């Protein structure tokens, strides 16, 4: 049974810091892995999608890596800003499109 | 292009009542998924439609939950009768290809 774990559960950093969010999964038979952002009371916004054959994806200040063999992914946020404050969710996708989520990391970036 | 739309955005009902949540997927998306997040837990899969057919309903918690997708367009998720533990945020997602889903804003359900 696939399980997804995110560490840390919460993180508070001063503005400008670079930070890393971690995600691990137990079954390497995934179709892809996605990182989402959720703002309070809002829906999920897809940030980055890494196909199982890829090693990383980048979008602006965000970089996500995937190591399928070890069951790990990281989300790197460069030069963090207060507007980055949100909950970040990692999810792995099965071939059917079913997503299995981690519990998320709640990030607070202080001005 | 309109995204995935969910109605209502919030619902507060009493234990024992019935509530129906609606999801309008992106036009042309055959795949429709329901998920929910209860307090303190991760978002969990409920079920997957392909057009009007239930492809996978392994995540439905019990028979108080009924999902339909008549005509393969919008979907409804009915909870009858609602219990306190059903409180949470219910998300709908749709996709053209199974692996790239777009999420709605969610419906926050509170059962009191």
């Amino acid at each position: 049974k696939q399980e997804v774990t995110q560490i840390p559960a919460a993180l508070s950093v001063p503005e400008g810091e670079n930070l890393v969010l971690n995600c691990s999964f137990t079954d390497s038979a995934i179709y892809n892995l996605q990182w989402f952002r959720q703002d309070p009371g809002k829906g999920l916004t897809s940030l980055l999608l890494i196909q199982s054959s890829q090693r990383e994806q980048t979008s602006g200040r965000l970089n996500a890596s995937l190591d399928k063999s070890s069951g790990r992914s990281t989300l790197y946020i460069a030069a963090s800003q207060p507007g980055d404050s949100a909950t970040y969710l990692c999810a792995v996708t099965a071939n059917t499109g079913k997503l299995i989520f981690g519990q998320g990391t709640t990030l607070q970036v202080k001005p | 292009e309109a995204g995935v739309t969910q109605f209502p955005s919030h619902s507060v009902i009493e234990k024992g009542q019935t509530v129906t949540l609606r999801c309008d997927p992106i036009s042309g998306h055959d795949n429709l998924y329901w998920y929910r997040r209860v307090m303190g837990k991760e978002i969990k899969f409920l079920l997957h439609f392909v057009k009007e057919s239930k492809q996978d309903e392994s995540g439905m918690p019990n028979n108080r939950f009924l999902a339909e997708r008549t005509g393969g367009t919008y979907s409804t998720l009915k909870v009858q009768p609602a219990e306190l533990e059903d409180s949470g945020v219910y998300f709908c997602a749709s996709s053209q290809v199974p692996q790239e889903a777009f999420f709605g804003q969610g419906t926050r359900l509170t059962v009191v």
Side-chain angles (χ1 to χ4, degrees), chain A residues 31-32 34 36 38 42-44 49 89 93-99 101-103, chain B residues 33 35 37 40-43 45 48 56 58 91 98-101 103-105 108:
Chain A
Y31 194 86
N32 63 37
Q34 292 187 68
F36 293 89
Q38 184 180 20
K42 300 291 180 66
L44 305 179
L49 184 153
L89 297 162
T93 310
N95 284 351
T96 61
K98 171 182 174 180
L99 290 165
F101 286 85
Q103 287 204 333
Chain B
Y33 306 84
Y35 294 84
R37 185 170 196 171
K41 299 288 184 77
E42 68 273 22
I43 298 172
F45 168 83
H48 172 202
D56 180 357
S58 61
F91 291 102
Q99 295 78 22
E100 295 186 62
F103 279 78
Q105 297 289 85
R108 181 173 297 278

Side-chain angles (χ1 to χ4, degrees), chain A residues 64-87:
Chain A
S65 68
L66 173 63
D67 184 342
K68 242 181 60 167
S69 59
S70 67
R72 294 180 183 179
S73 176
T74 61
L75 178 66
Y76 176 83
I77 302 177
S80 59
Q81 302 170 357
D84 294 331
S85 299
T87 296

Side-chain angles (χ1 to χ4, degrees), chain A residues 3-60:
Chain A
E3 292 182 1
V4 179
T5 303
Q6 291 186 244
I7 295 172
L11 184 62
S12 181
V13 300
E15 182 176 4
E17 273 204 8
N18 302 324
L19 56 100
V20 175
L21 308 182
N22 296 290
C23 172
S24 61
F25 47 96
T26 55
D27 185 348
S28 62
I30 63 171
Y31 194 86
N32 63 37
L33 183 144
Q34 292 187 68
W35 284 92
F36 293 89
R37 169 182 173 141
Q38 184 180 20
D39 293 282
K42 300 291 180 66
L44 305 179
T45 301
S46 181
L47 297 172
L48 290 164
L49 184 153
I50 312 176
Q51 300 291 354
S52 63
S53 58
Q54 296 176 320
R55 299 283 293 184
E56 66 177 344
Q57 280 287 341
T58 298
S59 176

